[in-house]
Amino acid sequence: MNCSEENQWSVTDFSPPQMNASLFLVLLLAGVAVMQNTDGFSVGQLFGEVEKAVKKGVEEVAQEVQTGVSAGVQKANKEAVHAANAAKKAASAGVEIVHQTVKAAENAASDHDDVEKTQDGGEAAPRKAAGDGPENTKTAEPRSMVNVITKLVTVTHVIFDVDGLLLDTESIYSKVIEGICAKHGKTFTWEIKAQQMGQTEHKAAKIIIDSLQLPITPEEYIQECKREFEHMFPLVPLMPGAEKLVRHLHEHGVPIALASGSDMHNFQLKTKNHQDLFSLFHHAVLSSSDPDVKHGKPAPDCFLVAASRFADPPKPENVLVFEDAPNGVEAACAAGMQVIWVPDPRADRSQLQHKSEVILDSLEHFKPEEFGLPPYNT
């Protein structure tokens, strides 16, 4: 007999020896009670009434169990909601504490910088920059806020932009472009330059042609620029703090790479007299001539491609990007990476202050230890 057959029983077809002793006693007592209140019952009728009584008792017990379970579930739900509300309040309070702490740190840093400037006899001279447009006289502190005071995600790899960050090429770009625009009676402004920075060669050409309605094609514009760049780029100097930072990271085994909007020809011209330094980089991604980069900055392509070409490709959040262009900052953020912004003095720093971990006047002010990198030797 299988298990299902064993469980298919009826009150009228089993004898007392087959029954559990306790169940038999219950049925016997129930039968006596029924017989006391009835006359002329047969044995079959007796067990029929007993079966009804047992079924009714089971149903009542089941109903009571169901009622108890429902009440328990309702109570548990209320307690869960209460706990969730309490957790939400605690989280909100924690966020507010962090905001207050960060604000206090920013105020302290600002006060410290004001004291240093006063002791030095005034404002520090702004970094030399190129392009036409009004000068931004508001000088932000050299070191801005690091998210929640110290970084929560340690940096393992670093990617650098090139133009305007490592090499002082922006002044050359501005001088050449200003000359081209002047030939057509147009003025090259800072607003247009900011849109061009970090873009691929062809996209940058299209931006200025469309903005100023220049009567030339992008190809003609690019060729005219390149003729001037041929003899100017090889003379370009390094930006302040660039060599010290690059050599420091390389000496400590931190993987470093380049991600630029430039093409191979111009890149070779610019780095011609700085081969010792640029040979330290693991690789360079040049958006204007790299087939894997489908879109220039502010799209994240160049940074994602650069990260993928390391010998040990890192997670995006473990990559620190150095950028001078607003488009570059946007691209790094879109790639999910941490970014340090070293903007032109005329850039609107409030525009991207919430997207960059730190805003610096110069690479000279960078503190590696704030991002889990080896500190400079003092």
Side-chain angles (χ1 to χ4, degrees):
M1 180 181 291
N2 60 36
C3 294
S4 60
E5 290 174 337
E6 285 184 328
N7 291 328
Q8 292 175 356
W9 56 271
S10 171
V11 175
T12 58
D13 62 7
F14 63 82
S15 59
Q18 296 174 285
M19 301 173 60
N20 177 281
S22 298
L23 178 58
F24 178 75
L25 179 61
V26 170
L27 292 176
L28 180 61
L29 293 174
V32 171
V34 171
M35 292 177 67
Q36 289 178 346
N37 293 283
T38 59
D39 294 323
F41 261 74
S42 66
V43 174
Q45 289 175 318
L46 171 62
F47 278 99
E49 292 299 320
V50 170
E51 183 176 11
K52 291 179 182 178
V54 171
K55 287 182 177 180
K56 183 177 180 182
V58 169
E59 290 174 356
E60 290 177 352
V61 170
Q63 183 62 40
E64 291 179 1
V65 170
Q66 179 66 32
T67 301
V69 170
S70 297
V73 169
Q74 291 177 358
K75 182 178 180 181
N77 286 340
K78 289 181 180 179
E79 292 178 351
V81 170
H82 178 73
N85 289 334
K88 184 177 180 181
K89 290 180 181 179
S92 298
V95 169
E96 182 59 29
I97 291 173
V98 169
H99 286 168
Q100 292 176 1
T101 304
V102 168
K103 187 64 178 176
E106 287 180 319
N107 292 337
S110 179
D111 293 343
H112 177 70
D113 292 336
D114 290 341
V115 170
E116 285 188 340
K117 290 172 183 175
T118 302
Q119 292 174 343
D120 291 341
E123 297 281 345
R127 178 181 66 166
K128 180 181 178 182
D132 211 11
E135 192 74 19
N136 183 352
T137 57
K138 182 179 179 181
T139 302
E141 59 270 15
R143 176 183 178 276
S144 183
M145 178 191 72
V146 177
N147 287 351
V148 195
I149 310 306
T150 56
K151 290 306 299 171
L152 299 179
V153 181
T154 300
V155 170
T156 59
H157 297 66
V158 178
I159 300 176
F160 291 87
D161 176 46
V162 178
D163 293 301
L165 181 83
L166 299 178
L167 295 174
D168 189 14
T169 50
E170 293 301 337
S171 59
I172 295 176
Y173 280 114
S174 292
K175 184 176 181 179
V176 171
I177 297 172
E178 285 169 356
I180 295 174
C181 292
K183 290 180 182 179
H184 301 284
K186 304 291 184 177
T187 301
F188 181 50
T189 65
W190 162 253
E191 288 72 24
I192 297 175
K193 181 178 179 66
Q195 295 178 54
Q196 283 188 309
M197 294 173 70
Q199 297 282 4
T200 61
E201 189 176 60
H202 191 272
K203 183 66 180 294
K206 196 171 186 311
I207 287 173
I208 190 168
I209 290 171
D210 291 346
S211 298
L212 298 179
Q213 296 298 300
L214 298 180
I216 54 177
T217 66
E219 290 71 24
E220 291 171 336
Y221 170 87
I222 291 171
Q223 289 306 314
E224 192 167 353
C225 286
K226 283 188 173 181
R227 283 194 293 271
E228 297 296 326
F229 294 157
E230 286 292 328
H231 64 273
M232 298 178 74
F233 274 161
L235 305 176
V236 66
L238 293 169
M239 293 294 289
E243 183 166 12
K244 177 184 177 182
L245 176 57
V246 170
R247 292 193 181 280
H248 171 75
L249 295 176
H250 181 264
E251 289 170 1
H252 286 83
V254 178
I256 53 178
L258 299 169
S260 170
S262 186
D263 66 355
M264 180 59 74
H265 178 71
N266 283 337
F267 177 76
Q268 290 175 339
L269 286 175
K270 292 178 232 180
T271 60
K272 183 177 180 179
N273 292 323
H274 305 288
Q275 286 298 305
D276 287 347
L277 183 66
F278 281 87
S279 66
L280 302 180
F281 291 93
H282 183 269
H283 59 274
V285 173
L286 307 175
S287 299
S288 292
S289 57
D290 194 314
D292 290 336
V293 179
K294 306 302 181 184
H295 304 283
K297 303 170 185 177
D301 299 31
C302 65
F303 290 121
L304 294 174
V305 171
S308 71
R309 292 181 182 172
F310 280 112
D312 54 338
K315 294 180 180 179
E317 60 265 29
N318 295 122
V319 177
L320 180 63
V321 172
F322 284 87
E323 262 288 354
D324 71 305
N327 285 329
V329 174
E330 295 281 8
C333 289
M337 300 174 181
Q338 303 176 53
V339 59
I340 290 179
W341 189 23
V342 190
D344 186 283
R346 291 156 298 178
D348 180 3
R349 299 187 176 202
S350 64
Q351 177 186 6
L352 295 169
Q353 64 180 358
H354 299 301
K355 291 190 175 183
S356 53
E357 271 62 41
V358 175
I359 300 177
L360 302 176
D361 286 337
S362 167
L363 289 176
E364 295 174 300
H365 299 133
F366 177 62
K367 297 181 179 179
E369 63 273 18
E370 291 180 345
F371 291 85
L373 297 169
Y376 285 126
N377 296 324
T378 54

